[in-house]
Every structure is written in C-alpha cells, then in structure tokens.
C-alpha cells in the first residue's frame, strides 16, 4: 500500500469541518504562529479597507488570517494561526 | 444614444472606464495593513537582480535621480477608477538603467511586508514609476508616501505603497493578494480580477 492510499481524500473533511465553520469565529481562541499570543479572535486587528480582509495579531502584527471574496467563491488563508480553538456543542 | 454633449460636466461617459468600474472623484485609501512610519533618514530603495547584483538608493540619492511628471488613470480591483491623476516620480527605466538582467519577473516588497508580483516587462519602457508626489504635494503616508510604485496599466493593488525592494528573478512568485484568489496579472481592461478571469 502506498502512502497516498493510506490517507482519505479531502472529502472526508466535510463532516469534520461543516459544524466548525458554522460557529462565530470571533468566539474562538487563536494562537499566533510568530509570537505565540493566544487570545479570542474578537481581539485581533482587522483591516477590511483592502481588496480582502486581513486580520493581524495585536501583539506582533503578524498576519493571522486573510480572506478574499470573489463571485461565487472565497479564499481563506489561516497560515498565521497555529490553531483555532472553536466552541462546539457537547454531545448529549 | 451614442452621442455625448460637449457641455457635459457630470460623470464621464462609462466608455472611458474598464469593464465593471465606476468613477470616483475622491481618492479612496485601501491598505492590507497599518500605515508604516518611515523616517526619511532610514528610507532606502533596493533593486536586486537574479545574480544578486544590487542597486541601492537612500532618500537623497533617490531624489537626485531625474524625475517625470505623469498624468494617468488608475483602476482599483474594488471597482473604483480615478481619471487624470497627477504624479511625479522616477521611471523604473532610470532605476534599472545599466543593470544586467535577463529576469522575467519582479517581486516588489514594501515596508510593512506587503508584496506584489508582475512581469519585468510591465515595469519598463515608460510603464512604471517610483512616485513621491501626488497632485503637486509630497505623497501622503496613507497613499504610500514617502514613495510608492506606480503601474497604472494594471489594477492598483500592483502599485505597491511604501515600496522598499524590487527583486528580479526567473521565477514568478505570487504576492500578497495574488496568492489568495486575485489574478496574477491584473489587467483592468481584460477585467482580470480573480484566478481564472
């Protein structure tokens, strides 16, 4: 078995991520890849007077998130975040 | 109708604008980040070739270069256009004069970290300037002062504010917006806004 056969393709992500991306991301905690500051995304600096949306770390100015909307599609870059901690409903 | 009144004083006829654009009279401010504070004592402009040949100017040396006054139309990918804008700057032809290069591409980096990419041929032959005056006044920081790239034949995100470094190379490296959905070239007359346009 080759390595490519051991990994499910990206369609598997649908079930994992569908609920996550329906939450208000501003309530999530995000960790900056540069300085390690971990805080609520509601506290980041957002610039939306640009061709896209740019969120920056309030401590070190690192670009945390970039978002571009085009007709019928959007591009999201989260490479400035080590992780997002998102609230999810607890299972009954 | 197909006719234009000679006495028309309002909005210019849309035929002067690229597709999907509307005319503005003010000068909107768009930035991907905060306006950097740049002391002219520390300012520098650097051009490097693909063989690491380097040109470097401090502010006084840059301002001692021959400059040109140009009046051009500018077109932002967010759909506004502004006609007959007046700038003063040094032509990239002047800055690149005598530099040995066979590079096909340029990656432009600004104070603050913004980047944009374009073919080198779009910077030469009278098509691009490093502008330091707008409308007869020193270029305001919010509009890219002390100096910005001016490449008016492409969407205005290519005209990087606060330009610091132009890196010539054989590889085309997508810049800040080009790497996230925006068109790699950005010709407003072809309405090249997004990937695939």
């Amino acid at each position: 078995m080759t390595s490519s056969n051991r990994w499910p393709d990206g369609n598997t992500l649908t079930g994992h991520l569908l609920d996550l991306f329906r939450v208000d991301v501003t309530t999530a905690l995000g960790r900056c890849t540069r300085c390690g500051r971990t805080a609520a995304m509601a506290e980041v600096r957002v610039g939306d007077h640009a061709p896209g949306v740019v969120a920056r770390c309030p401590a070190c100015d690192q670009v945390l998130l970039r978002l571009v909307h085009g007709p019928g599609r959007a591009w999201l870059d989260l490479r400035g975040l080590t992780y997002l901690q998102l609230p999810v409903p607890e299972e009954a | 109708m197909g006719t234009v009144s000679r006495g028309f004083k309002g909005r210019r006829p849309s035929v002067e604008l690229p597709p999907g654009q509307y005319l503005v009279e003010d000068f909107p401010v768009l930035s991907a980040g905060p306006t950097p504070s740049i002391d002219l004592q520390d300012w520098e402009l650097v051009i490097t070739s693909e063989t690491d040949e380097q040109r470097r100017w401090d502010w006084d040396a840059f301002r001692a270069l021959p400059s040109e006054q140009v009046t051009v139309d500018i077109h932002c990918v967010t759909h506004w256009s502004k006609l007959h804008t007046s700038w003063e700057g040094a032509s990239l032809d002047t800055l690149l004069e005598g530099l040995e290069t066979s590079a096909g591409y340029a990656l432009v980096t600004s104070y603050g970290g913004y980047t944009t990419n374009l073919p080198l041929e779009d910077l030469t032959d009278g098509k691009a300037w490093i502008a330091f005056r707008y409308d007869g006044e020193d270029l305001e920081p919010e509009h890219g002062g002390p100096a910005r790239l001016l490449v008016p034949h492409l969407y205005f995100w290519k005209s990087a504010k606060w330009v610091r470094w132009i890196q010539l190379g054989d590889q085309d490296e997508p810049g800040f917006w080009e790497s996230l959905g925006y068109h790699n070239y950005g010709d407003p007359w072809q309405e090249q806004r997004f990937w695939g346009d």
Side-chain angles (χ1 to χ4, degrees):
Chain A
M1 178 180 282
T2 65
S3 59
S4 61
N5 287 334
R6 287 203 298 268
W7 298 94
D9 69 23
N11 289 306
T12 311
L13 290 173
T14 303
H16 292 298
L17 297 179
L18 194 59
D19 288 337
L20 293 183
F21 280 88
R22 286 179 177 168
V23 305
D24 179 359
V25 173
T26 60
T27 64
L29 293 179
R31 185 179 193 275
C32 174
T33 57
R34 180 191 284 170
C35 72
R37 182 184 189 275
T38 304
M41 289 297 289
E43 298 178 12
V44 304
R45 294 177 182 161
V46 176
D48 54 6
H49 297 291
V53 176
V54 182
R56 291 174 181 268
C57 175
C60 75
D61 222 28
Q62 159 94 329
V63 175
L64 301 175
L65 176 156
R66 299 185 298 156
L67 175 62
V68 168
H69 279 283
R73 52 192 171 157
W75 294 269
L76 177 65
D77 175 6
L78 299 171
R79 77 181 72 180
L81 289 163
T82 307
Y83 62 78
L84 277 175
Q85 177 184 304
L86 297 148
V88 293
E90 292 190 34
E91 292 182 14
Chain B
M1 296 238 315
T3 58
V4 177
S5 164
R6 290 181 184 277
F8 183 76
K9 293 279 200 301
R11 289 174 68 93
R12 295 172 189 278
S14 59
V15 292
E16 292 185 18
L17 299 177
Q21 297 294 109
Y22 65 87
L23 187 64
V24 298
E25 298 295 340
D26 60 346
F27 195 165
V29 175
L30 280 81
S31 299
T35 299
S37 177
I38 305 167
D39 190 330
L40 290 183
Q41 298 293 320
D42 302 325
W43 183 91
E44 65 174 7
L45 175 65
V46 178
I47 299 179
T48 53
S49 75
E50 72 279 18
T51 58
D52 287 335
E53 184 181 347
Q54 188 176 97
R55 298 282 176 85
R56 184 185 298 266
W57 297 264
D58 62 16
W59 183 254
D60 289 340
F62 169 70
R63 290 292 287 104
L65 294 169
S67 65
E68 300 176 4
Q69 300 201 22
V70 294
T71 299
V72 294
D73 302 338
I74 55 177
H75 310 290
C76 180
V77 74
T78 61
H79 296 278
W80 61 261
S81 289
K82 187 171 176 62
L83 303 184
H84 311 308
T85 61
S86 298
W87 306 80
E88 182 177 349
S91 168
L92 262 294
D93 293 318
T94 300
L95 294 160
L96 293 168
E97 192 175 345
L99 185 71
E100 290 288 333
T101 181
S102 60
Y105 304 97
L107 180 66
V108 181
T109 302
S110 300
Y111 288 90
Y114 178 78
T115 58
T116 189
N117 62 300
L118 62 175
L120 179 56
E121 66 181 10
D122 286 88
L123 291 179
T124 56
D125 293 332
K127 294 194 288 287
W129 298 264
I130 303 296
F132 53 86
R133 278 207 185 106
Y134 171 72
D135 214 11
E137 305 286 340
D138 289 344
L139 189 58
E140 296 283 343
E142 66 180 3
H143 287 304
R148 74 179 297 163
L149 182 62
L150 177 65
V151 195
H153 69 286
L154 300 177
Y155 278 125
F156 211 46
W157 91 75
K158 298 281 188 179
S159 293
K161 297 178 178 181
W162 315 301
V163 61
R164 178 179 199 175
W165 182 23
I166 300 174
Q167 188 178 4
L168 310 183
D170 298 323
Q171 303 295 320
D172 191 15
E173 185 178 336
F176 188 86
W177 292 123
E178 294 87 352
S179 63
L180 195 72
Y182 278 103
H183 198 276
N184 197 54
Y185 185 62
D187 180 349
W189 296 96
Q190 300 296 319
E191 205 166 6
Q192 294 173 335
R193 298 181 196 276
F194 299 103
W195 293 352
D197 284 348

